Amino acid sequence: MRTWKPLITLGAVALVLAGCSNEAGPTPKGSVGQATSPYALSVKLDAITTDGCFREPAGSTPRGCAKYVTELGSVPGLAREQAGTKHPDLVATANDLDKGIGAYRDNHCDTVPQPGGACTTALTAIADSLRSAKQLVDTQLTNH
């Protein structure tokens, strides 16, 4: 019986190794090319608008808002995608949001330690545009 033990162990190891491959399961599908629903965009906007940089842009430290601005990076494109040709006001708001994000980045606000100046102006513009986008998404897209 002792001679079977190594063979059984070797067989079990071979089965385990045969089950391992380069892929542990199905490859997850990316969201590239997949449209985001108005509801999903609304949920994203709800989450982003809880950030202190949105709620109080004038009192926020610009460099402390870098993650918030990064999270906003996809919002203008998603809003434009949802707006299509039926909601040009949402496209305009998405463009304004893009401009605010660009101003934050162009002024290197992620390194500015004190509120004020161009960075606070950018954060305020972002908050205003985001507020408008949220209102438009919630009323025009998710209710129709």
Side-chain angles (χ1 to χ4, degrees):
M1 189 110 169
R2 285 187 167 195
T3 57
W4 289 98
K5 238 182 185 179
L7 288 175
I8 291 172
T9 303
L10 183 59
V13 170
L15 285 173
V16 169
L17 291 177
C20 296
S21 66
N22 290 337
E23 190 176 327
T27 304
K29 304 277 189 261
S31 63
V32 176
Q34 294 178 349
T36 301
S37 73
Y39 178 74
L41 181 55
S42 179
V43 169
K44 181 176 179 93
L45 294 174
D46 283 346
I48 291 171
T49 56
T50 63
D51 194 288
C53 296
F54 168 78
R55 289 183 284 118
E56 194 178 338
S60 296
T61 303
R63 73 174 174 203
C65 295
K67 182 178 178 184
Y68 159 76
V69 174
T70 298
E71 288 173 0
L72 286 171
S74 65
V75 171
L78 294 172
R80 285 187 203 100
E81 180 182 314
Q82 289 302 312
T85 58
K86 293 181 179 182
H87 303 286
D89 45 349
L90 183 54
V91 173
T93 300
N95 292 342
D96 290 343
L97 183 55
D98 244 349
K99 287 177 191 170
I101 293 168
Y104 178 91
R105 291 177 178 161
D106 291 347
N107 287 296
H108 304 285
C109 296
D110 59 334
T111 63
V112 176
Q114 298 295 322
C119 293
T120 295
T121 300
L123 288 171
T124 301
I126 289 169
D128 291 344
S129 298
L130 187 57
R131 190 174 293 105
S132 295
K134 181 173 173 12
Q135 181 181 13
L136 291 169
V137 167
D138 289 347
T139 59
Q140 292 183 1
L141 298 181
T142 56
N143 293 331
H144 295 304

